Amino acid sequence: REAVSRSEGGPPRLVVVVVWDGGGQNVLAEYPDAWPVVRSLIPKGAWFERFTLGSSPSVTPAIHTTLGTGAYPRHHGIIDLKFRMGERIVPSFEEGPRYLMVESLADAYDAAMGNQPVIGMVGFRTWHLGMIGHGAAQPGGDQDIAALMEDSLEWNLPGANAGFYEFPDYVNDVGGLDEAIDRMDREDGKADGAWLGVSLTDDANVLRDSPAYTDWQALVLEEIIRQEGFGADRVPDLLFTNFKQIDEVGHRWTMNSPQMPSVVRASDRALGRLIEFLDQEVGKGRWVIALTADHGVTPKPSRSGAVPIRNAKVVSDLNETFGEGLVRAIRPSQIWIDLSPLRENGFTVAQVSRFVAEYTRGQNADDPSSVAETARDQPVFAAAFPSSS
């Protein structure tokens, strides 16, 4: 209510939800000088610094769907990047929104307004579609706008999702990417095809995870707002966007890397650019932005004292102990198993659970001597629970 009341002349014409993927409070606290735009906005809006909403696992598709629906994962159904449905392990949104079990805000609002609002989402993966909802899969719904990257260097809308959302194919014609890459290349004082010492050509994904793509996404957002008429009339529109670079840098280099403040600054710069554009295109006082994050980023283990868990070794040891092919998939909070080799070898799910609960750091290392002798018998997991099936 506080945010909306700041819009002049009644309801805002456009509500924009901006998610800095991974940009939680621990990242902001680590680099306090990297987000001046956000800092300048705090006195003008509502800022929640000590608010905690617990949800596990705190992963992108689950939390973005919570942002879009207001429901916890146990209710909206998107409980992880992938999950088990009968005998299948399915990805969250690669098969469309079929596993989303509740209405999103956009679903309900669009239906109540006879599909008059313009509703859209610009993100990087299908994982972000939970913010927007079902699109045309909703009875009476229409194809809301969606543009993703999804393991590509170009915008797209992969797989089954093309039937439920509308992809604005003009976005790949938006200029400015080459200039952003060149500007980023020169920021460290050398035009050498590298970003802070990391080659931009050896691994194409490095480029997508860099500030150049943050800058390009800001330009793409402007073009979508302009061409699709977001905020052009008195019917309030909804636009959701995810800037993924903070999260990707965190996975690739951890929070304590020179790349992290660079992408935080780029995300902040993109927010400032978006605000200036909205003032010009929609009009001052006629729009509202909500900025949030889905989670924070993991620091270097040497900084936090954490012990990385080597999932491949966990899988290898489980298969070796209970039967080849036992583990179908592993996630931070779950291990999916095939019961067939378990039964063939005379084991139970409870025995697998006990093995995991007693699994040690020494076992998880290729070379146990690399682990301090006093730590080799420490359990890797705090607890493990067998399923009921």
PDB file of all heavy atoms in Angstrom, residues 2 15 23-24 30 80 99 105 109 115 118 128 145 168 193 209 216 260 263 279 319 373:
ATOM      1  N   GLU A   2       1.948   1.217   0.766  1.00  0.00           N
ATOM      2  CA  GLU A   2       2.801   2.402   0.854  1.00  0.00           C
ATOM      3  C   GLU A   2       3.411   2.735  -0.498  1.00  0.00           C
ATOM      4  O   GLU A   2       3.459   3.890  -0.910  1.00  0.00           O
ATOM      5  CB  GLU A   2       3.906   2.181   1.884  1.00  0.00           C
ATOM      6  CG  GLU A   2       4.821   3.390   2.039  1.00  0.00           C
ATOM      7  CD  GLU A   2       5.865   3.181   3.118  1.00  0.00           C
ATOM      8  OE1 GLU A   2       5.767   2.195   3.848  1.00  0.00           O
ATOM      9  OE2 GLU A   2       6.777   4.023   3.220  1.00  0.00           O
ATOM     10  N   VAL A  15       3.318  -1.470 -13.110  1.00  0.00           N
ATOM     11  CA  VAL A  15       4.031  -2.005 -11.949  1.00  0.00           C
ATOM     12  C   VAL A  15       5.136  -2.917 -12.477  1.00  0.00           C
ATOM     13  O   VAL A  15       4.856  -3.860 -13.227  1.00  0.00           O
ATOM     14  CB  VAL A  15       3.096  -2.789 -11.012  1.00  0.00           C
ATOM     15  CG1 VAL A  15       3.893  -3.405  -9.858  1.00  0.00           C
ATOM     16  CG2 VAL A  15       2.004  -1.884 -10.475  1.00  0.00           C
ATOM     17  N   GLY A  23      20.943 -11.466  -5.454  1.00  0.00           N
ATOM     18  CA  GLY A  23      21.372 -10.192  -4.887  1.00  0.00           C
ATOM     19  C   GLY A  23      20.821  -9.923  -3.502  1.00  0.00           C
ATOM     20  O   GLY A  23      20.273  -8.846  -3.244  1.00  0.00           O
ATOM     21  N   GLY A  24      20.990 -10.888  -2.602  1.00  0.00           N
ATOM     22  CA  GLY A  24      20.483 -10.748  -1.246  1.00  0.00           C
ATOM     23  C   GLY A  24      21.295  -9.776  -0.402  1.00  0.00           C
ATOM     24  O   GLY A  24      22.293  -9.197  -0.853  1.00  0.00           O
ATOM     25  N   GLU A  30      28.389  -6.804   1.435  1.00  0.00           N
ATOM     26  CA  GLU A  30      29.785  -7.027   1.058  1.00  0.00           C
ATOM     27  C   GLU A  30      30.306  -5.905   0.157  1.00  0.00           C
ATOM     28  O   GLU A  30      31.490  -5.566   0.202  1.00  0.00           O
ATOM     29  CB  GLU A  30      29.915  -8.374   0.346  1.00  0.00           C
ATOM     30  CG  GLU A  30      31.328  -8.784   0.018  1.00  0.00           C
ATOM     31  CD  GLU A  30      32.114  -9.282   1.220  1.00  0.00           C
ATOM     32  OE1 GLU A  30      31.511  -9.469   2.295  1.00  0.00           O
ATOM     33  OE2 GLU A  30      33.341  -9.492   1.083  1.00  0.00           O
ATOM     34  N   ASP A  80      11.438 -27.084  -6.762  1.00  0.00           N
ATOM     35  CA  ASP A  80      12.879 -27.106  -7.021  1.00  0.00           C
ATOM     36  C   ASP A  80      13.102 -26.885  -8.508  1.00  0.00           C
ATOM     37  O   ASP A  80      12.155 -26.666  -9.264  1.00  0.00           O
ATOM     38  CB  ASP A  80      13.476 -28.441  -6.565  1.00  0.00           C
ATOM     39  CG  ASP A  80      14.966 -28.364  -6.234  1.00  0.00           C
ATOM     40  OD1 ASP A  80      15.630 -27.418  -6.703  1.00  0.00           O
ATOM     41  OD2 ASP A  80      15.470 -29.241  -5.526  1.00  0.00           O
ATOM     42  N   TYR A  99       2.928 -27.741 -14.251  1.00  0.00           N
ATOM     43  CA  TYR A  99       3.100 -28.166 -12.860  1.00  0.00           C
ATOM     44  C   TYR A  99       2.832 -27.045 -11.861  1.00  0.00           C
ATOM     45  O   TYR A  99       2.951 -27.255 -10.651  1.00  0.00           O
ATOM     46  CB  TYR A  99       4.507 -28.733 -12.656  1.00  0.00           C
ATOM     47  CG  TYR A  99       4.802 -29.890 -13.589  1.00  0.00           C
ATOM     48  CD1 TYR A  99       5.805 -29.796 -14.558  1.00  0.00           C
ATOM     49  CD2 TYR A  99       4.057 -31.057 -13.524  1.00  0.00           C
ATOM     50  CE1 TYR A  99       6.053 -30.844 -15.425  1.00  0.00           C
ATOM     51  CE2 TYR A  99       4.297 -32.111 -14.397  1.00  0.00           C
ATOM     52  CZ  TYR A  99       5.295 -31.996 -15.347  1.00  0.00           C
ATOM     53  OH  TYR A  99       5.531 -33.035 -16.202  1.00  0.00           O
ATOM     54  N   LEU A 105      -0.558 -13.897  -9.379  1.00  0.00           N
ATOM     55  CA  LEU A 105      -1.208 -12.588  -9.359  1.00  0.00           C
ATOM     56  C   LEU A 105      -1.565 -12.159 -10.777  1.00  0.00           C
ATOM     57  O   LEU A 105      -2.671 -11.655 -11.034  1.00  0.00           O
ATOM     58  CB  LEU A 105      -0.277 -11.552  -8.725  1.00  0.00           C
ATOM     59  CG  LEU A 105      -0.699 -10.080  -8.876  1.00  0.00           C
ATOM     60  CD1 LEU A 105      -2.010  -9.812  -8.145  1.00  0.00           C
ATOM     61  CD2 LEU A 105       0.404  -9.151  -8.390  1.00  0.00           C
ATOM     62  N   TYR A 109      -5.307 -11.304 -11.993  1.00  0.00           N
ATOM     63  CA  TYR A 109      -5.545  -9.911 -12.381  1.00  0.00           C
ATOM     64  C   TYR A 109      -5.969  -9.820 -13.848  1.00  0.00           C
ATOM     65  O   TYR A 109      -6.928  -9.111 -14.195  1.00  0.00           O
ATOM     66  CB  TYR A 109      -4.293  -9.088 -12.120  1.00  0.00           C
ATOM     67  CG  TYR A 109      -4.360  -7.669 -12.632  1.00  0.00           C
ATOM     68  CD1 TYR A 109      -5.349  -6.798 -12.192  1.00  0.00           C
ATOM     69  CD2 TYR A 109      -3.423  -7.203 -13.558  1.00  0.00           C
ATOM     70  CE1 TYR A 109      -5.408  -5.498 -12.660  1.00  0.00           C
ATOM     71  CE2 TYR A 109      -3.476  -5.910 -14.025  1.00  0.00           C
ATOM     72  CZ  TYR A 109      -4.467  -5.061 -13.587  1.00  0.00           C
ATOM     73  OH  TYR A 109      -4.536  -3.773 -14.060  1.00  0.00           O
ATOM     74  N   ASN A 115      -8.387  -9.621 -19.692  1.00  0.00           N
ATOM     75  CA  ASN A 115      -7.140  -9.656 -20.486  1.00  0.00           C
ATOM     76  C   ASN A 115      -6.760  -8.298 -21.069  1.00  0.00           C
ATOM     77  O   ASN A 115      -5.998  -8.223 -22.040  1.00  0.00           O
ATOM     78  CB  ASN A 115      -7.231 -10.691 -21.618  1.00  0.00           C
ATOM     79  CG  ASN A 115      -7.279 -12.115 -21.102  1.00  0.00           C
ATOM     80  OD1 ASN A 115      -6.601 -12.450 -20.128  1.00  0.00           O
ATOM     81  ND2 ASN A 115      -8.086 -12.957 -21.727  1.00  0.00           N
ATOM     82  N   VAL A 118      -1.500  -5.315 -20.128  1.00  0.00           N
ATOM     83  CA  VAL A 118      -0.325  -5.872 -20.798  1.00  0.00           C
ATOM     84  C   VAL A 118       0.537  -6.491 -19.699  1.00  0.00           C
ATOM     85  O   VAL A 118       0.904  -5.823 -18.730  1.00  0.00           O
ATOM     86  CB  VAL A 118       0.470  -4.783 -21.547  1.00  0.00           C
ATOM     87  CG1 VAL A 118       1.635  -5.424 -22.307  1.00  0.00           C
ATOM     88  CG2 VAL A 118      -0.437  -4.026 -22.490  1.00  0.00           C
ATOM     89  N   HIS A 128      12.148 -18.612 -14.365  1.00  0.00           N
ATOM     90  CA  HIS A 128      11.581 -17.329 -13.966  1.00  0.00           C
ATOM     91  C   HIS A 128      10.119 -17.181 -14.365  1.00  0.00           C
ATOM     92  O   HIS A 128       9.471 -16.202 -13.983  1.00  0.00           O
ATOM     93  CB  HIS A 128      12.402 -16.183 -14.569  1.00  0.00           C
ATOM     94  CG  HIS A 128      13.857 -16.264 -14.233  1.00  0.00           C
ATOM     95  ND1 HIS A 128      14.860 -16.069 -15.159  1.00  0.00           N
ATOM     96  CD2 HIS A 128      14.485 -16.559 -13.066  1.00  0.00           C
ATOM     97  CE1 HIS A 128      16.045 -16.223 -14.573  1.00  0.00           C
ATOM     98  NE2 HIS A 128      15.833 -16.519 -13.312  1.00  0.00           N
ATOM     99  N   ILE A 145       3.546 -11.850 -22.614  1.00  0.00           N
ATOM    100  CA  ILE A 145       4.848 -11.686 -23.260  1.00  0.00           C
ATOM    101  C   ILE A 145       5.942 -12.324 -22.402  1.00  0.00           C
ATOM    102  O   ILE A 145       5.982 -12.139 -21.184  1.00  0.00           O
ATOM    103  CB  ILE A 145       5.140 -10.195 -23.477  1.00  0.00           C
ATOM    104  CG1 ILE A 145       4.087  -9.602 -24.415  1.00  0.00           C
ATOM    105  CG2 ILE A 145       6.542  -9.968 -24.028  1.00  0.00           C
ATOM    106  CD1 ILE A 145       3.865  -8.131 -24.223  1.00  0.00           C
ATOM    107  N   PRO A 168       8.478 -11.841 -28.156  1.00  0.00           N
ATOM    108  CA  PRO A 168       8.660 -10.684 -29.032  1.00  0.00           C
ATOM    109  C   PRO A 168       9.971 -10.802 -29.803  1.00  0.00           C
ATOM    110  O   PRO A 168      11.028 -10.383 -29.332  1.00  0.00           O
ATOM    111  CB  PRO A 168       8.693  -9.510 -28.042  1.00  0.00           C
ATOM    112  CG  PRO A 168       9.235 -10.099 -26.773  1.00  0.00           C
ATOM    113  CD  PRO A 168       8.801 -11.535 -26.750  1.00  0.00           C
ATOM    114  N   GLY A 193      39.901  -8.372 -25.005  1.00  0.00           N
ATOM    115  CA  GLY A 193      38.936  -9.457 -25.124  1.00  0.00           C
ATOM    116  C   GLY A 193      38.709 -10.207 -23.833  1.00  0.00           C
ATOM    117  O   GLY A 193      38.302 -11.372 -23.849  1.00  0.00           O
ATOM    118  N   ASP A 209      27.131 -13.936 -18.656  1.00  0.00           N
ATOM    119  CA  ASP A 209      27.112 -13.682 -17.212  1.00  0.00           C
ATOM    120  C   ASP A 209      27.787 -12.365 -16.843  1.00  0.00           C
ATOM    121  O   ASP A 209      28.001 -12.092 -15.658  1.00  0.00           O
ATOM    122  CB  ASP A 209      27.823 -14.825 -16.472  1.00  0.00           C
ATOM    123  CG  ASP A 209      27.153 -16.172 -16.711  1.00  0.00           C
ATOM    124  OD1 ASP A 209      25.984 -16.186 -17.130  1.00  0.00           O
ATOM    125  OD2 ASP A 209      27.803 -17.210 -16.489  1.00  0.00           O
ATOM    126  N   TRP A 216      22.654  -4.793 -21.881  1.00  0.00           N
ATOM    127  CA  TRP A 216      21.814  -5.094 -23.038  1.00  0.00           C
ATOM    128  C   TRP A 216      20.373  -5.373 -22.601  1.00  0.00           C
ATOM    129  O   TRP A 216      19.422  -4.938 -23.243  1.00  0.00           O
ATOM    130  CB  TRP A 216      22.378  -6.292 -23.806  1.00  0.00           C
ATOM    131  CG  TRP A 216      21.722  -6.516 -25.138  1.00  0.00           C
ATOM    132  CD1 TRP A 216      21.246  -5.565 -26.001  1.00  0.00           C
ATOM    133  CD2 TRP A 216      21.481  -7.776 -25.765  1.00  0.00           C
ATOM    134  NE1 TRP A 216      20.736  -6.160 -27.141  1.00  0.00           N
ATOM    135  CE2 TRP A 216      20.873  -7.508 -27.023  1.00  0.00           C
ATOM    136  CE3 TRP A 216      21.744  -9.102 -25.412  1.00  0.00           C
ATOM    137  CZ2 TRP A 216      20.493  -8.532 -27.898  1.00  0.00           C
ATOM    138  CZ3 TRP A 216      21.383 -10.119 -26.296  1.00  0.00           C
ATOM    139  CH2 TRP A 216      20.761  -9.832 -27.520  1.00  0.00           C
ATOM    140  N   MET A 260      32.124  -9.974  -8.917  1.00  0.00           N
ATOM    141  CA  MET A 260      30.867  -9.717  -8.213  1.00  0.00           C
ATOM    142  C   MET A 260      30.539  -8.223  -8.103  1.00  0.00           C
ATOM    143  O   MET A 260      29.428  -7.818  -8.478  1.00  0.00           O
ATOM    144  CB  MET A 260      30.877 -10.375  -6.838  1.00  0.00           C
ATOM    145  CG  MET A 260      29.557 -10.237  -6.086  1.00  0.00           C
ATOM    146  SD  MET A 260      28.134 -10.913  -6.993  1.00  0.00           S
ATOM    147  CE  MET A 260      28.397 -12.666  -6.763  1.00  0.00           C
ATOM    148  N   VAL A 263      29.243  -6.862 -11.492  1.00  0.00           N
ATOM    149  CA  VAL A 263      27.862  -7.128 -11.926  1.00  0.00           C
ATOM    150  C   VAL A 263      26.849  -6.460 -11.006  1.00  0.00           C
ATOM    151  O   VAL A 263      25.745  -6.116 -11.447  1.00  0.00           O
ATOM    152  CB  VAL A 263      27.577  -8.643 -12.051  1.00  0.00           C
ATOM    153  CG1 VAL A 263      28.360  -9.241 -13.199  1.00  0.00           C
ATOM    154  CG2 VAL A 263      27.843  -9.394 -10.764  1.00  0.00           C
ATOM    155  N   ASP A 279      10.239   7.323 -16.459  1.00  0.00           N
ATOM    156  CA  ASP A 279       9.822   8.720 -16.290  1.00  0.00           C
ATOM    157  C   ASP A 279       9.505   9.358 -17.637  1.00  0.00           C
ATOM    158  O   ASP A 279       8.545  10.128 -17.760  1.00  0.00           O
ATOM    159  CB  ASP A 279      10.925   9.524 -15.586  1.00  0.00           C
ATOM    160  CG  ASP A 279      10.903   9.360 -14.074  1.00  0.00           C
ATOM    161  OD1 ASP A 279       9.883   8.879 -13.541  1.00  0.00           O
ATOM    162  OD2 ASP A 279      11.909   9.702 -13.425  1.00  0.00           O
ATOM    163  N   ASN A 319      25.942 -45.501  -5.357  1.00  0.00           N
ATOM    164  CA  ASN A 319      25.794 -46.549  -6.370  1.00  0.00           C
ATOM    165  C   ASN A 319      26.690 -47.741  -6.082  1.00  0.00           C
ATOM    166  O   ASN A 319      26.303 -48.904  -6.283  1.00  0.00           O
ATOM    167  CB  ASN A 319      26.114 -45.979  -7.758  1.00  0.00           C
ATOM    168  CG  ASN A 319      25.011 -45.082  -8.292  1.00  0.00           C
ATOM    169  OD1 ASN A 319      23.877 -45.137  -7.836  1.00  0.00           O
ATOM    170  ND2 ASN A 319      25.338 -44.244  -9.265  1.00  0.00           N
ATOM    171  N   GLU A 373      42.846 -34.630   9.757  1.00  0.00           N
ATOM    172  CA  GLU A 373      42.542 -35.889  10.451  1.00  0.00           C
ATOM    173  C   GLU A 373      41.401 -35.709  11.456  1.00  0.00           C
ATOM    174  O   GLU A 373      40.553 -36.592  11.612  1.00  0.00           O
ATOM    175  CB  GLU A 373      43.793 -36.410  11.159  1.00  0.00           C
ATOM    176  CG  GLU A 373      43.623 -37.809  11.725  1.00  0.00           C
ATOM    177  CD  GLU A 373      44.927 -38.388  12.235  1.00  0.00           C
ATOM    178  OE1 GLU A 373      45.977 -37.733  12.064  1.00  0.00           O
ATOM    179  OE2 GLU A 373      44.892 -39.488  12.812  1.00  0.00           O
TER     180      GLU A 373
END
